[in-house]
Each structure stands twice: as structure tokens, then as C-alpha cells.
Amino acid sequence: MENLLLRFLEYVSIDTQSDSYSKTTPSTEKQWVLAKKLVLELSKIGLDEVSIDENGYIMATLPSNLDKKVPTIGFISHYDTTPDFTGTNVKPKIIANYDGGDIVLDTTNNTVLSPDYFEDLQQYIGQTLITTNGKTLLGADDKAGIAEIITAMEYLVKHPELKHGKIRIGFTPDEEIGRGAHKFDVKKFDAAWAYTVDGSQIGELEYENFNAASAKITIKGKSVHPGYAKNKMINAIGIANEFLSLMPPREVPELTEDREGFFHVHTIKGDIETTIFELIIRDHDEEHFQARKDLLFDIEEKINTKYGDIVSIVIEDQYKNMKEKIEPLFHIIEIAEEAMHKVGVKPIIKPIRGGTDGSQLSFMGLPCPNIFAGGHNFHGKYEYVPLESMHKAVETIVKICELTGEKF
């Protein structure tokens, strides 16, 4: 576990925040710093066919050590971190033998990681927690996954008595802005299936995710002197508020769970003349997902009928529920589930309330469910990961490789 810890701490010290407004791939130049380091490390631990393309996509191979042909499988993680919270100057804290109490992350701002609010902490009493210092995110999403995959491959290289087929490794940029799979060369990767190591708490095994879309709503108003505005002014800010009032108030992230879908308004800016707000649409059910998009267009029509053509909506689909691509190949879930049982991890099979590279990859021809990386509270200053969970992820990856070799 010491090598795993040191590897992870080194990765999170490198800022790899992505940028949704950038048109390049990777979206930020700083992602190349970690990407180039990973290429060197994959070669150093003894993998073959190590490559990085012009867009920052990394691939490598652990050759088969079997005397029979079995399916090639893969493991994939992303090295960018969210643009929503700073990943600059990450300085983790190591909490050994966690006692179950409050963890003061930052005394200056009284930032406390407390089990009274984050109940999952109670699962990890006696373990080693890696936390933030209360000023940045940690970056376990998904540098924990990268550290686990590399550590697992290094272990297999050093233990040739453990039999496995050909294993492919892939690391991607820009997953956090929804582009992680956009330029992934599935044909070059050449695997029968893969696993993204990008889940949260220990035991997670996921093959369902949201159908997802983004929406941009633009409202054009008319600015008139407020003293003479009656029947003349159209305040775009007020119309935006009216639009939002016509959306279902309880179908938001903070009031939904499990397979419940939602609308999430994340950006709004404007003035009387022009107000723009952006939101994401999420639902596991395809029909409900379409109904959500239809609702926005219905509200657009209602407001335009009332005020004239002042509202315009652009909706872009982002990814689909990978369930339909995974269920016909359910043995890939059963292998991961058995691997977890064999290393002493209780599988938690549940839908992802979010997205993953695996969703897009599944529709690109690479079936790709998601397994745990171990972290909690991603994308903010309360993020943490238990070292023991990371170690179990390494063991799970190794066991998946062994079981695939045994079963085919």
C-alpha cells in the first residue's frame, strides 16, 4: 500500500483541471504534464505498446502469459479533474487510524469533514484516510483509478505466476467536461470489453447511468426607462424567473436519488435585454428523458405565445444509458462481481447518478461498466479516499484479470 499511496500523492500534486470552454484536446495544457509522466511510468513498470497520441490519449498493453487465446480486456481512467473546483496546489492530509470523529481540514476557515454530515466516514474507522487541506479538491476522481490500475499492472508484471490474457490500459483527458471518450480510438484499443475504474465507494459496480443532455436557454428582452415602462419593457431576467417557475420544483439534484431524474440549472447570467441560463437534463429512463426535453420546449412555446418570440432553446444530447449495451454481455458484470467477492469486497450494484467515459465507449463498440476507485465527495474540498479502499480496487483489478483468463 505504501507504493500505491506514494504514486497517488504524486499524481494529485499535478494540476490537471479541464476547461469546458476550450476547443483543444486536452482542453488545458497542464494536463500534458501528468499525461507525459504516466507514459514514462507505464514503460518503466514493464508494459508494452505504450503510446500517447496528439490528443493526449494514452494506451498500453500487458501481454498475455497464457498458452490459450482469451478475450482481451481493458481498464480505463481519466486524468483530468473538474473545472468546477480548484485543483491547484493540492496538499493532501493523511489521517492514519481514523478515530471516527471530526477532521479539521482548514483551521483558518473552520472547514471540517464531519461524520455528522458525511455519514459514510463511519465505515472507515481504523483506516487511513487521504483528505484535502480544505482549500482544494483532492483529485481522487480519477487519479485514484489511475494509481490503482498502474499498481495492479505492476503487480501482475512482477508475479508472472498469476495467469491472465492480454490486458489493455487507457487513460483519457477531459472526462470531467464530457469529452473523455470523444477521440478514444476503440479500434486501436482492440479489447472485447473494458472497465472504467472511476466509481466512488468501495464495492461499487455500475452498468446503468443517466441519459444526459445540456440545454441553453436565451431570453431576449426590451429595455425601457423604468418610469415609462408599462406595457413596453420586457425584462429578460423576470422572464427567466417565470420560465424556471414552470419547471417541476422538486425535480432537482438536491431532492432526488436512485433512478429519479432531474433538471439542474448551473449557470445564469444576464440583464434586462438578454438573459441566458444553462442546465443539464438527466434521467435513467429513455421515455422520461425525452419527456423532460419536451417539457422545456412546451414552456418555450407558452412564453413565446404570451410575449412574442423572445425565448430560444438549444438542447444537445451528451450520452445515453449504457445498460442496453451491457445487459446482453452480462458475464462482464458477473466476472467483476465474483472478483470483488474473492478479495473480500461486498459488491454494490447500483445505477450511476452521473456519467462516465464507459457510457460513450459502450455505444462506440467497447462495452464498459464502471467499478469503484474508492473516493467520496468528489469535486470539492470535502473529498477523501480511504487507502484501504484503493488497495482493494487494486486487488479487484488483478482478480478480474485472473478470472477472465480462467473462464475463457
Side-chain angles (χ1 to χ4, degrees):
M1 283 200 289
E2 183 178 353
N3 286 340
L4 176 63
L5 174 60
L6 293 175
R7 181 169 276 142
F8 175 67
L9 294 178
E10 188 171 13
Y11 297 165
V12 299
S13 71
I14 301 171
D15 184 4
T16 57
Q17 194 172 32
S18 49
D19 178 5
S20 59
Y21 295 100
S22 169
K23 302 301 182 184
T24 64
T25 306
S27 62
T28 51
E29 188 68 23
K30 56 191 174 183
Q31 289 184 64
W32 283 106
V33 178
L34 180 56
K36 292 174 181 178
K37 179 177 182 59
L38 294 174
V39 169
L40 293 174
E41 190 160 5
L42 290 168
S43 296
K44 183 179 178 181
I45 68 170
L47 298 193
D48 294 345
E49 301 174 325
V50 179
S51 67
I52 183 168
D53 68 15
E54 67 276 12
N55 295 306
Y57 287 78
I58 301 167
M59 295 185 185
T61 300
L62 177 63
S64 173
N65 61 5
L66 292 169
D67 56 6
K68 63 177 181 176
K69 187 173 178 59
V70 301
T72 298
I73 66 172
F75 296 92
I76 298 169
S77 289
H78 65 91
Y79 54 80
D80 69 312
T81 60
T82 179
D84 296 334
F85 205 87
T86 181
T88 302
N89 199 28
V90 173
K91 294 184 177 180
K93 291 188 172 185
I94 310 299
I95 313 298
N97 193 26
Y98 172 56
D99 64 7
D102 289 353
I103 300 171
V104 179
L105 302 175
D106 177 18
T107 55
T108 303
N109 296 305
N110 194 31
T111 303
V112 179
L113 181 62
S114 173
D116 293 337
Y117 194 84
F118 299 106
E119 298 90 347
D120 287 339
L121 280 164
Q122 294 293 327
Q123 300 177 52
Y124 305 114
I125 293 173
Q127 298 190 22
T128 296
L129 304 185
I130 309 165
T131 75
T132 76
N133 68 349
K135 301 179 187 297
T136 69
L137 52 66
L138 180 61
D141 180 15
D142 191 24
K143 292 168 186 175
I146 291 176
E148 291 153 7
I149 290 171
I150 292 180
T151 302
M153 294 304 106
E154 182 179 42
Y155 187 82
L156 287 171
V157 168
K158 291 180 177 180
H159 293 271
E161 72 277 9
L162 301 177
K163 300 302 178 183
H164 56 82
K166 183 178 178 180
I167 312 298
R168 291 285 279 157
I169 304 305
F171 298 143
T172 69
D174 292 340
E175 189 269 354
E176 295 291 359
I177 56 174
R179 303 181 203 162
H182 284 193
K183 298 180 181 180
F184 190 96
D185 191 335
V186 169
K187 184 177 180 180
K188 177 183 175 182
F189 196 66
D190 193 26
W193 70 84
Y195 301 91
T196 49
V197 185
D198 193 18
S200 184
Q201 75 178 81
I202 185 170
E204 283 190 350
L205 173 56
E206 302 155 323
Y207 66 93
E208 298 180 58
N209 62 278
F210 280 134
N211 296 291
S214 63
K216 182 178 181 180
I217 299 159
T218 302
I219 301 169
K220 294 292 187 180
K222 290 183 180 179
S223 181
V224 178
H225 188 291
Y228 307 93
K230 186 175 182 180
N231 299 326
K232 295 182 178 64
M233 177 186 287
I234 299 177
N235 190 332
I237 298 171
I239 303 301
N241 184 60
E242 183 174 347
F243 191 109
L244 292 170
S245 73
L246 295 172
M247 293 170 60
R250 299 194 62 80
E251 295 180 13
V252 293
E254 58 267 36
L255 297 175
T256 52
E257 61 183 353
D258 299 328
R259 287 181 173 81
E260 296 172 334
F262 59 76
F263 299 95
H264 175 45
V265 178
H266 58 82
T267 302
I268 186 166
K269 57 183 178 181
D271 51 31
I272 295 170
E273 284 280 335
T274 304
T275 296
I276 298 171
F277 63 96
E278 298 179 44
L279 63 137
I280 59 174
I281 307 162
R282 298 290 188 265
D283 210 296
H284 284 93
D285 181 89
E286 177 67 30
E287 290 185 7
H288 293 169
F289 177 59
Q290 185 59 49
R292 291 183 182 281
K293 293 188 284 186
D294 292 343
L295 174 62
L296 295 183
F297 287 120
D298 289 345
I299 297 173
E300 174 193 35
E301 183 179 3
K302 183 177 293 186
I303 291 180
N304 282 341
T305 300
K306 183 176 179 181
Y307 297 101
D309 293 334
I310 63 170
V311 178
S312 61
I313 300 178
V314 176
I315 294 179
E316 295 184 356
D317 288 335
Q318 296 172 306
Y319 49 82
K320 296 177 65 178
N321 190 342
M322 64 181 167
K323 179 181 179 180
E324 68 177 86
K325 297 296 183 181
I326 302 297
E327 282 193 327
L329 302 166
F330 205 71
H331 63 273
I332 69 181
I333 299 299
E334 293 171 336
I335 288 171
E337 186 176 7
E338 183 178 347
M340 290 184 193
H341 281 301
K342 286 186 176 293
V343 301
V345 171
K346 181 181 179 180
I348 304 171
I349 300 178
K350 64 182 185 65
I352 307 170
R353 285 186 61 79
T356 171
D357 278 346
S359 170
Q360 296 181 55
L361 292 170
S362 293
F363 284 90
M364 292 165 64
L366 179 64
C368 200
N370 191 44
I371 60 177
F372 71 94
H376 289 260
N377 306 339
F378 294 150
H379 297 191
K381 60 189 175 183
Y382 297 104
E383 186 182 1
Y384 71 93
V385 61
L387 181 58
E388 288 79 359
S389 295
M390 292 180 64
H391 186 248
K392 284 298 180 182
V394 173
E395 291 185 338
T396 298
I397 293 167
V398 170
K399 188 56 68 174
I400 287 172
C401 296
E402 289 185 273
L403 287 174
T404 304
E406 292 173 9
K407 292 178 180 293
F408 291 91

